[in-house]
Amino acid sequence: ELWISLEEHQDALELIMSKYRQQMLQLLQGRKGEDAEPVLEVHQDNCVEIESQINRIFEMGEVMRKAVQVDDDQFFKVQEKLAQLELENKELRELLSISKESVEVGKEDLPDVDAQVTK
């Protein structure tokens, strides 16, 4: 009788433990679903924020590219103007030297005015 009573007691205990394990599993699964929702929301919020930051970085890159292009265009315009001015300066210097030479030649061809005045 004692042996049978022990077996019944073990069977009852095993049934209780089985029910306990089943309820704990359901509870953990329910919590996992509940716990996963806030984590999933935070993850989605982070993804949206990261995507927003990536878009801002992309926009800043575009602005920087445009600024570099404008700077390059401005630099090339300044270089072109500088080259034009240097060429003009060179041509004007040549004209000036030709003009000085012609004035000097003209003075040599003229009779000496000082010498005539003293006579």
Side-chain angles (χ1 to χ4, degrees):
E1 286 179 23
L2 194 55
W3 188 259
I4 293 174
S5 178
L6 180 62
E7 284 182 3
E8 287 176 358
H9 182 34
Q10 284 180 345
D11 287 340
L13 189 57
E14 194 173 304
L15 179 63
I16 291 171
M17 289 304 295
S18 169
K19 293 284 185 181
Y20 172 77
R21 287 185 196 113
Q22 186 179 21
Q23 287 180 354
M24 287 302 292
L25 183 62
Q26 288 174 353
L27 181 64
L28 288 175
Q29 286 177 348
R31 278 193 182 169
K32 284 182 183 177
E34 291 172 6
D35 291 343
E37 281 184 31
V39 172
L40 183 60
E41 288 177 17
V42 169
H43 179 68
Q44 288 174 342
D45 291 343
N46 286 340
C47 288
V48 168
E49 184 177 338
I50 290 171
E51 187 175 323
S52 171
Q53 289 176 353
I54 289 170
N55 288 337
R56 284 192 309 203
I57 290 170
F58 180 74
E59 289 172 3
M60 288 175 19
E62 287 297 317
V63 168
M64 290 170 65
R65 276 191 213 100
K66 288 179 183 177
V68 167
Q69 183 65 37
V70 167
D71 285 346
D72 287 347
D73 292 345
Q74 185 70 21
F75 175 75
F76 291 132
K77 286 179 183 177
V78 168
Q79 289 290 61
E80 184 179 346
K81 186 68 172 176
L82 182 62
Q84 287 175 348
L85 289 173
E86 286 175 347
L87 181 61
E88 184 179 333
N89 187 20
K90 181 181 175 185
E91 290 172 356
L92 288 173
R93 287 183 185 272
E94 287 175 5
L95 289 173
L96 181 63
S97 69
I98 291 171
S99 174
K100 283 183 181 180
E101 288 174 7
S102 68
V103 168
E104 289 174 5
V105 169
K107 283 184 181 179
E108 290 175 2
D109 290 344
L110 290 177
D112 195 6
V113 176
D114 289 333
Q116 289 178 357
V117 172
T118 53
K119 288 184 187 179

